[in-house]
Structures are given as C-alpha cells and as structure tokens.
Amino acid sequence: QVELVDSGGGSVQAGGSLRLTCDASRFTYPGHCMGWFRQVPGKAREAVVGIDRVTGSTYSIDSVKGRFTISPGDTKNTLYLQMNSLNVEDTAMYYCAASNRYCSDAWGRVSAFNLWGQGTQVTVSS
C-alpha cells in the first residue's frame, strides 16, 4: 500500500540535477524520521539520505555527501531531495519513507520505516 507520494524523477545526463519531492500531507504527522531509499534491480534497497524532524539531524551515505541535500518542503509534511552532480551510479528507483522512530534508531534499516512512497525513477546517462 502506497502511503506517501514521491515525484520528480526523470532522465538526466551525468553532472545534471534533479529535485525529488515527498508528499506526506495526508498525515498529520508522518513520523520522526523521513528520508529517501533507492534500489536497483537485483540489489537490496539502500538508505540514501534522511532527516530527523525532531532534532533536525541529517544523515547520508558517503557516496552522496556534498551532492544530495534533504530539506523540508514548502508545504506541511513535504520533503525535498535536491540531487546535484548526478552520476551513472545514482541511477535507481528512489523511495520516500517515514518512520515513527527517531533517525538515531531507524536510519539505514528498511524494516524500521512504516510508510513508503511508490517510487520515482532516476536515470543518469553518461
């Protein structure tokens, strides 16, 4: 069951940028920890970036540090993922997710996230 709505994916050339949006507005409070995971066929879903909505702490994997930025959206319970300097290795289906746990506990663990988006495809060509 899709409970969050993520959008903004597309096809870009290496070096380009995209901004993903996660819409959790149907929830009064989607959860403490929100973020983005990504998955390519045949591989496990991996955490990419996250933000703790209580503490403001952000989390990211090393490969996207300095390139991807997660931030609150312009409307209540929305989230942005600004992705710059995209490379071919960033190609994946990206999923927004929310957890009722703090990021210090939930971050990095797919099973800790109870709300998910339907996914938005990001394709980067060389």
Side-chain angles (χ1 to χ4, degrees), residues 1-7 21-23 35-36 45 93-98 114-120:
Q1 182 179 354
V2 173
E3 295 158 311
L4 307 178
V5 179
D6 37 30
S7 61
T21 300
C22 176
D23 182 356
W36 297 88
R45 192 169 294 190
M93 185 72 81
Y94 283 71
Y95 297 90
C96 178
N114 53 296
L115 298 177
W116 290 89
Q118 81 282 6
T120 186

Side-chain angles (χ1 to χ4, degrees), residues 18-92:
L18 285 172
R19 188 178 77 170
L20 305 185
T21 300
C22 176
D23 182 356
S25 58
R26 65 185 291 252
F27 295 93
T28 301
Y29 187 72
H32 296 327
C33 186
M34 292 188 70
W36 297 88
F37 288 72
R38 66 186 180 188
Q39 188 170 25
V40 297
K43 292 191 176 182
R45 192 169 294 190
E46 69 167 349
V48 180
V49 291
I51 184 167
D52 192 298
R53 300 172 75 235
V54 177
T55 68
S57 297
T58 58
Y59 300 75
S60 62
I61 55 175
D62 288 345
S63 63
V64 306
K65 286 185 188 296
R67 301 188 299 120
F68 288 15
T69 304
I70 188 170
S71 62
D74 295 331
T75 56
K76 184 181 178 182
N77 290 339
T78 59
L79 201 64
Y80 293 145
L81 175 59
Q82 180 66 43
M83 305 186 295
N84 298 327
S85 301
L86 285 160
N87 57 54
V88 174
E89 290 71 33
D90 296 317
T91 294

